[in-house]
Amino acid sequence: MALYVSDHTQFMRSLLARNPEWVSEQKIGRAIWWEKTSDQEQKKAFDAAKVAPKAYPYDVNFNF
C-alpha cells in the first residue's frame, strides 16, 4: 500500500473539497465531449468512403 500522495493530488483534492459543485460540472463536461455512443452504420460509411493514398507523394515525378 502506497502512502505517498503527490503534491498535485493533494492540490486537486483540496480544490474539489472547497468546490464540490465542480465534480458534477466535470461529469457533465465529460459526457458532452468523451462519453459518446458510436454509430456503427456511420462508421461503415466512413470506412467505405476512404480513398487509398498514393504510394509516395514526395517523389520528384509525382503528378497531381
Side-chain angles (χ1 to χ4, degrees):
M1 180 160 84
L3 300 176
Y4 173 75
V5 179
S6 70
D7 291 338
H8 179 70
T9 300
Q10 291 175 5
F11 170 73
M12 291 304 297
R13 286 180 182 166
S14 67
L15 193 65
L16 292 175
R18 285 183 275 147
N19 303 294
E21 69 277 1
W22 287 4
V23 175
S24 61
E25 292 174 6
Q26 181 185 31
K27 288 180 182 179
I28 292 169
R30 185 180 297 131
I32 291 171
W33 294 105
W34 296 106
E35 298 174 2
K36 297 183 182 218
T37 58
S38 61
D39 184 4
Q40 294 300 317
E41 293 298 321
Q42 186 180 35
K43 183 181 180 319
K44 287 179 187 176
F46 284 153
D47 289 342
K50 287 185 180 176
V51 176
K54 301 279 186 185
Y56 189 70
Y58 301 107
D59 188 7
V60 177
N61 299 316
F62 180 71
N63 295 327
F64 292 98

